[in-house]
Every structure is written in C-alpha cells, then in structure tokens.
Amino acid sequence: MPHLTSAKPGTAHTDLRPGLGVPGLAHPLLAPAEWAELARPGTPVHWVALDVADGPGSRPDPHCLAAAVRLRNAGVRVLGRLDTTYGARSFGEVISEAHRYLDWYQVDGFLLDRCPTERTALPEIRRTATALRALRDGAHLVLGHGTHPYPGYAEQADQLITFSGPWSDYRWSQVAEWTADHPADRFCHLVHGVPRGHLEEALRIARWQGAATIWFTDRTDRGGNTDPWATMPGYWDDIVSRIGTGVSE
C-alpha cells in the first residue's frame, strides 16, 4: 500500500465515482478514433483539453472544430489549453490566445497548463482567471499545477490538477492537508506509466486522496519527446468500465 496522508483520518472519499479529464490527445487527424471514442454516449468524461498547435494555432482548424462540436454535443466540456509557462508568459499573450479559442472553437473554458504554484504568483493568476470568466460566462477553469500549490489558488478555479507525473511517484504520493477543506470535484490527478495490474490501486489512491477527475494511462514519457497523453490508454475499455457510466458532466 502506498503511504498516504489524509488531513482528517477516517474521512477518505470511499464513495467517490471519478470521471476522466483528458489533458490533450494528438490532433484529430492523427487520432480520429480516439476523439470519436471520447464522444461515445455514456463515456464518463468530465472535460477534454484542446491543444491545436501548442495553443489555438494561427488560424482556425476545421478538424479541431468538428471534434470539439462532437464532444459538446455529447455533453462533454471542451477546454482551450493555455500555457502559462509557470507565470513567465504575459497576461496579454494568454488572453489573446483565449480569444482565439473562443472565436474559432467556442470552448467551454480553459486549462491553464504549467500554472505556477507560489503565493507570489497568485495575484497574476487571479487577474487572468477574472479576465477569462469575463470573456465567457460560466467558463470552466482548470489550473494545471501538477503538484499542490499554495492553498489560495483553490479560490481562483473550478478545479486544480494537484498531481501530474509517473506512477512510480504517484503510488507513494501524499495529499496536502488543506485539500480536505474542499470537495473532491475540485481536484484532478494525471498519471502516466500505470500498469494494467495496478489500475485498481491507482483508482483507490485517487479516491483516498479526494480527486474526482483522473486520467490514468499505461503510456510513458520514455523515449525522448514522447508525450504520454497523446494516445489512449491501452486499457481504455477497462478503465471506462471500472469508473462506470452516468458521471459525465
């Protein structure tokens, strides 16, 4: 068993039924079957991040628009991926890309990837979040920290990605105590390199740590520039059946 820390002993989220958060598949032309599968009725997908060309690209892409429309028609949120580069990108650049996502793909919200975690960066993320909500009423915002940030970030978004990394780290991970003050639907875990035989253990960790949205895959980042999120897990049908139906948002 992994060593876990629960802020309130005995309050593990044992009844949690998670859904899937897809951090970014390959372009729909390269992975048409995968994009179609995400839109299949009953698939428990909470949101899918759209990354056209390290952002919205320089011009509208009809293939990405078609994929986004199919997902929205299936009741799945589509989020535009905005790379904050840990706070290094300017406010203007991020908001300009957000405008293009909205104009070209009618996204439902945004994933602020590589989001900073420090308290000092919080005011700028607050400014960005406020502007994004002003651009689109009801925008769903996910902050892609990849680790536990300063607790104040939880007030700026609908959801925080508090783990993103390999199974070798996740199985021994610990949850920050402050997360117990928030419901499980505020947190997401992205884990690559999860062997099929450890899938149930990974789901148990997510339940125990209180993360309602997950993306577990057996793909890895080994081999140089390999992106473990670009393709579906080899056990896609298995993970969908374990999560069950009826939890799509």
Side-chain angles (χ1 to χ4, degrees):
M1 274 294 294
H3 175 67
L4 303 176
T5 301
S6 180
K8 298 178 181 178
T11 61
H13 299 265
T14 55
D15 61 344
L16 182 65
R17 297 188 66 196
L20 301 168
V22 186
L25 288 175
H27 190 279
L29 279 180
L30 299 177
E34 286 88 342
W35 282 93
E37 183 67 21
L38 293 175
R40 182 165 57 89
T43 305
V45 182
H46 288 170
W47 50 261
V48 176
L50 177 64
D51 188 2
V52 180
D54 196 24
S58 58
R59 60 181 61 85
D61 185 320
H63 304 286
C64 290
L65 175 59
V69 169
R70 283 194 298 271
L71 286 172
R72 283 199 306 276
N73 288 342
V76 177
R77 288 191 180 102
V78 178
L79 308 181
R81 177 187 173 272
L82 300 170
D83 187 358
T84 70
T85 321
Y86 305 108
R89 294 192 72 202
S90 72
F91 173 81
E93 286 180 308
V94 173
I95 299 305
S96 175
E97 288 195 350
H99 274 287
R100 297 205 296 275
Y101 269 120
L102 287 169
D103 291 344
W104 297 343
Y105 307 109
Q106 294 84 54
V107 294
D108 304 294
F110 303 95
L111 165 63
L112 274 65
D113 203 11
R114 298 203 292 174
C115 191
T117 61
E118 303 85 0
R119 183 175 184 174
T120 54
L122 178 56
E124 186 65 12
I125 294 300
R126 182 186 296 116
R127 178 190 182 201
T128 300
T130 300
L132 293 176
R133 293 191 191 282
L135 288 180
R136 189 196 189 285
D137 186 42
H140 188 80
L141 300 185
V142 178
L143 302 185
H145 305 285
T147 188
H148 290 96
Y150 174 72
Y153 283 93
E155 307 305 322
Q156 308 310 316
D158 297 282
Q159 198 169 51
L160 309 181
I161 298 174
T162 53
F163 185 94
S164 180
W167 167 242
S168 57
D169 291 341
Y170 187 62
R171 68 184 311 192
W172 305 111
S173 63
Q174 299 182 30
V175 64
E177 292 186 0
W178 63 263
T179 63
D181 296 329
H182 303 275
D185 62 7
R186 302 294 305 280
F187 302 104
C188 174
H189 292 169
L190 312 177
V191 190
H192 59 76
V194 181
R196 182 186 295 268
H198 290 277
L199 183 55
E200 185 59 41
E201 181 185 354
L203 289 168
R204 188 164 59 247
I205 293 172
R207 289 193 298 269
W208 186 253
Q209 295 196 6
T213 303
I214 57 97
W215 183 254
F216 296 157
T217 179
D218 51 351
R219 312 309 184 189
T220 71
D221 61 355
R222 293 191 291 270
N225 295 322
T226 301
D227 180 359
W229 317 126
T231 59
M232 290 286 206
Y235 40 65
W236 170 252
D237 289 338
D238 191 12
I239 194 169
V240 168
S241 66
R242 286 173 186 263
I243 293 174
T245 60
V247 296
S248 294
E249 297 183 347

